[in-house]
Amino acid sequence: MDTPIPDTPNAASPLLQVIGLKKHYALEDGKVLRAVDGVSLSVPRGHTLGLVGESGCGKSTTGKCLVRLTDPTEGRILLEGRDLAEMDRRELRAMRRRMQFIFQDPFSSMNPRMRVRDIVGEPLRNFGHGKTAIRERVAGLLARVSLRPDAADRYPHEFSGGQRQRIVIARALALDPGLIVCDEPVSALDVSVQAQVINLLMDLQRDLGLTYVFISHDLSVVRHISHHVAVMYLGRIVESGSREAIFGRPAHPYTRALMASAPSARERRPAQVLQGEIPSPLSPPSGCAFRTRCPRAEARCARETPLPRTIAPGQQVACHFA
């Protein structure tokens, strides 16, 4: 995956804006798990935002909140200017046409007893499309994701992992969404198959004007597909900016540590282990959450929570010393 993604024209206006998103879970012992703790982000129309960070940092919970698979505790989620967080069930159902979610494990997200034609066509049936229209639409969707027509008559277990992911992508496209949240969609695939699925997503974005939030821990994949990148740590965004800024001049110590922990085939550089373990969101450190693992931490870091500040056009960092 060496070819850089092209710029997307006419994509100045944000399709998705998130302001102060929080998702807290009250536990039986009275403690509160702050899975997402004040996330704000913006995704221009037709662009891809890569959301990266270690396991347990809140990426998947954020993604599910964005499409209301999980109800947020607090904050605003504006899709095409409409606040999803304030919608009732009827309003939210109507907006389901405009947003979809692709899960990490395609097999578990499909009914194994349903044929592919029924899996891909289910969203269309739910919104009242007729049998003929569904049959024609399913055939077109399967062709768009490079699956043979006879795939419609088969069951999920008859396909490879990459083919299953193509089926899930076809299903996600059924209602012509504007936003698709992709939660680790290629992490379980071989490298060669990863490249094929990523290139398919990029082709679909170019052809259909799709907007993606792409959740991943794989920096090489994020670098290939994303226009913008947000780095998440313990429920918060610690750095965000263009792909070129984040990968070319990372400013937050955590971002730099993630870069160092990823092996580089071009530079033949082995991965370095990110020191320490991510703290529990049940008892996060005071001040800067990353200070317990940060080589630059000082007393101020324990007292004051750093707020995001702009250090370059389009690049924000939440660090006292960036």
Side-chain angles (χ1 to χ4, degrees), residues 17-317:
Q17 289 181 290
V18 180
I19 305 167
L21 178 66
K22 296 183 179 182
K23 179 59 182 179
H24 296 172
Y25 296 93
L27 305 182
E28 293 181 356
D29 58 5
K31 294 183 178 180
V32 176
L33 191 155
R34 294 173 170 82
V36 181
D37 202 28
V39 165
S40 296
L41 51 85
S42 178
V43 191
R45 213 174 278 269
H47 278 208
T48 298
L49 173 74
L51 187 59
V52 302
E54 295 171 280
S55 297
C57 71
K59 304 187 302 296
S60 293
T61 303
T62 298
K64 290 175 181 178
C65 285
L66 295 184
V67 296
R68 286 285 303 272
L69 290 179
T70 297
D71 290 333
T73 303
E74 187 178 316
R76 303 185 69 194
I77 306 167
L78 303 175
L79 179 63
E80 299 176 330
R82 300 183 62 189
D83 194 343
L84 301 180
E86 295 183 351
M87 289 184 178
D88 59 26
R89 180 172 296 183
R90 180 185 60 81
E91 294 172 315
L92 188 60
R93 185 180 187 278
M95 282 297 287
R96 290 291 181 201
R97 293 175 175 269
R98 302 297 300 145
M99 55 187 183
Q100 291 294 318
F101 196 96
I102 295 176
F103 292 90
Q104 177 178 0
D105 182 2
F107 190 69
S108 65
S109 65
M110 295 186 285
N111 187 333
R113 297 178 180 175
M114 292 174 64
R115 296 181 188 271
V116 166
R117 66 157 52 92
D118 298 318
I119 292 171
V120 176
E122 187 174 29
L124 297 163
R125 288 195 301 276
N126 290 341
F127 280 87
H129 291 253
K131 291 183 178 180
T132 301
I134 293 174
R135 183 172 62 253
E136 293 175 353
R137 177 65 171 158
V138 168
L141 289 168
L142 293 178
R144 183 170 280 279
V145 299
S146 300
L147 289 173
R148 292 167 54 88
D150 60 3
D153 297 318
R154 296 159 62 188
Y155 292 92
H157 73 270
E158 300 179 67
F159 296 89
S160 67
Q163 290 172 324
R164 290 172 190 161
Q165 200 58 281
R166 289 173 185 269
I167 295 169
V168 172
I169 292 170
R171 176 188 168 98
L173 295 174
L175 296 173
D176 292 319
L179 172 71
I180 299 181
V181 177
C182 308
D183 188 7
E184 301 273 9
V186 298
S187 62
L189 305 177
D190 293 338
V191 174
S192 61
V193 181
Q194 283 186 6
Q196 294 170 14
V197 173
I198 291 298
N199 289 334
L200 170 63
L201 289 171
M202 293 169 62
D203 290 343
L204 292 170
Q205 183 176 61
R206 183 191 63 238
D207 296 342
L208 304 176
L210 297 170
T211 302
Y212 296 135
V213 174
F214 191 91
I215 299 168
S216 180
H217 65 277
D218 190 326
L219 293 178
S220 64
V221 171
V222 169
R223 185 172 190 169
H224 184 68
I225 195 173
S226 301
H227 297 89
H228 314 278
V229 179
V231 182
M232 195 166 185
Y233 186 78
L234 214 62
R236 297 182 179 181
I237 303 296
V238 297
E239 184 168 4
S240 62
S242 68
R243 175 188 57 182
E244 292 75 15
I246 298 301
F247 285 96
R249 51 181 188 276
H252 196 283
Y254 179 59
T255 307
R256 293 199 296 268
L258 284 180
M259 301 296 181
S261 66
S264 174
R266 289 182 180 179
E267 301 173 11
R268 297 183 181 180
R269 168 175 54 81
Q272 300 177 24
V273 178
L274 182 59
Q275 298 299 315
E277 295 185 3
I278 187 169
S280 169
L282 287 170
S283 54
S286 62
C288 175
F290 187 61
R291 66 177 177 82
T292 57
R293 306 170 72 187
C294 181
R296 298 187 60 187
E298 298 182 6
R300 178 187 180 188
C301 301
R303 297 192 308 266
E304 302 175 25
T305 300
L307 299 177
R309 58 191 176 91
T310 300
I311 62 168
Q315 185 175 8
Q316 287 195 324
V317 183

